[in-house]
Amino acid sequence: MMSLLPHEPRIVDTAHQQVLTERCLLPELPALRTLFLHLRGTIDATLAPRQPVKLGKPYPLGCCAEISLALQQALRDLDPTQLPPAAVAGHAALARFQAAGGTSRRVWGYQRGRGMRHALLIGTLLIDAAQDSSDASLAPVALTPFAQAGLTPLRDHRHFALLAAAEWQAHVYPNHVLPALAPYAPLIVLVPGGSVRLEADVHYMLALARRGGFASSAAVLAMPAMTPALFGAIANVLAQAGFEVAADAPQGRAAALDLCRQYRDAGTRDADARHEATLTTLARANRALQVLQVAARPAG
C-alpha cells in the first residue's frame, strides 16, 4: 500500500484504529461532542473578530480550513483544568486513546455535496468542527465514522480545478506565467472576492504532483491558456516582485512542461530540497499576487 500523502483522508491501520476507537472513544461520544463544541466556541471567539467576512460571506461560511487548523492547535495547547466539567471526560478519553497508540491528524479531501473539506481524523472517527462553514443551518460539530463520512482524496489537479470552479465559482488557468513553479503549482485560480493565487498551496497537492511523476501537473498545463491581457497583468506583478516570468503563454507552457519532464526523470534525487524551496517560493509569489483582487460576483 502507498504511504500516506500529507492530510490524505485515509486510514492505514484500520483494524487497529477501530479497536482503539471502540475501546476508548465511542463509550465517551457525548463527552467528546461536548469537548469539541467547547473548543469550537473558543475558536469562534478568536477567529470571528479577526475574519468576520471571507469572500463576501459572513463567518463561519468558507472558513473550514481556518477552523480545522485552529482546532488542531487548540487540542495541542489544551489545559484540561480549564475545561467545563461536562468536557473533562471527553479529554480523558482522547488521552487514553492516544496513550494506547491511537492516531490523530488533520485531513483534507472531497465530500460529495459539500465540496472540499478539512477535518480531524481521530482513530476511525471524522471530527468535522466546521460543518456550518458550508451550510449555516448545520450544527457546527459532527462526529461521524470515517467509513460513513464519504470524504475521499482528490484524484489530481484537474479534479481540483473542477471543484474550484464549481465550489468557488473560480476561473482556473494553467500556470504558464511562472514556469519554475509550474510542476508543483500548475494552476492559477481567480476566486471572486479574493485575490489571484497560484495553486495548489496545499501540501497534499504538492506531494501528489511529486508522487505521480508530475503527470497530474502536465495534464492541466495543457489546458487552454489565459488571455494575453490577464497573462500580462499577472506577469507584471510577479516580475516587479523579482520573479523570472515567461515572455508569453506559449513560451511558459513549453518551459513548464519541460520542467515536469526533468523532475520526473530526476526521480528522488534532490527532490526533498526542491520541495521545501518550492513551498517558500510559492508563499512569496502568492503574497505578491494579493494586489490583484478579483471582483466579487453580484449577489443573487
Side-chain angles (χ1 to χ4, degrees):
M1 180 179 289
M2 285 188 178
S3 60
L4 282 172
L5 295 176
H7 310 309
E8 182 179 355
R10 181 163 62 89
I11 304 171
V12 174
D13 53 344
T14 304
H16 180 54
Q17 293 303 315
Q18 182 63 30
V19 168
L20 294 179
T21 299
E22 291 178 359
R23 181 188 302 162
C24 302
L25 302 181
L26 296 188
E28 297 293 348
L29 210 55
L32 282 168
R33 183 173 283 104
T34 300
L35 170 66
F36 287 113
L37 282 169
H38 167 74
L39 293 175
R40 172 61 194 274
T42 63
I43 289 167
D44 288 347
T46 301
L47 289 187
R50 186 185 302 164
Q51 191 174 34
V53 177
K54 181 179 179 181
L55 300 178
K57 298 177 181 179
Y59 181 90
L61 293 174
C63 293
C64 179
E66 293 88 343
I67 293 170
S68 175
L69 188 61
L71 175 64
Q72 188 178 46
Q73 188 62 48
L75 284 170
R76 290 196 192 105
D77 298 341
L78 185 60
D79 179 358
T81 65
Q82 301 300 310
L83 288 173
V88 170
H91 177 264
L94 272 181
R96 288 194 300 272
F97 170 77
Q98 291 172 335
T103 59
S104 173
R105 60 192 185 87
R106 193 160 59 93
V107 295
W108 175 75
Y110 168 68
Q111 195 171 33
R112 185 174 296 278
R114 301 189 62 210
M116 292 179 278
R117 304 293 301 163
H118 297 259
L120 290 187
L121 181 56
I122 301 180
T124 58
L125 277 179
L126 190 73
I127 316 298
D128 187 342
Q131 265 211 134
D132 52 346
S133 65
S134 62
D135 183 344
S137 68
L138 294 175
V141 173
L143 284 68
T144 309
F146 178 72
Q148 299 174 19
L151 190 70
T152 59
L154 269 69
R155 298 186 299 272
D156 50 33
H157 285 85
R158 189 176 296 278
H159 191 195
F160 177 89
L162 291 171
L163 290 173
E167 185 175 346
W168 305 330
Q169 292 76 54
H171 298 284
V172 185
Y173 302 97
N175 173 20
H176 298 154
V177 180
L178 200 57
L181 282 182
Y184 284 100
L187 296 171
I188 293 178
V189 179
L190 285 68
V191 180
S195 62
V196 174
R197 287 186 58 81
L198 284 158
E199 294 289 358
D201 191 4
V202 175
H203 289 274
Y204 172 84
M205 297 301 294
L206 293 168
L208 180 69
R210 177 174 162 183
R211 186 170 77 180
F214 302 95
S216 174
S217 300
V220 293
L221 286 166
M223 288 167 37
M226 65 186 74
T227 66
L230 180 58
F231 182 99
I234 295 172
N236 183 57
V237 168
L238 290 172
Q240 289 183 1
F243 290 92
E244 184 176 345
V245 299
D248 54 32
Q251 183 195 76
R253 179 180 183 275
L257 288 172
D258 185 55
L259 275 180
C260 287
R261 286 189 290 271
Q262 289 182 40
Y263 289 179
R264 177 200 63 202
D265 295 342
T268 58
R269 179 162 36 91
D270 299 325
D272 290 338
R274 187 173 64 232
H275 187 98
E276 291 304 313
T278 297
L279 287 171
T280 301
T281 307
L282 180 57
R284 187 164 67 88
N286 278 331
R287 284 195 298 272
L289 288 171
Q290 286 177 357
V291 300
L292 291 177
Q293 293 293 308
V294 183
R297 293 184 183 276

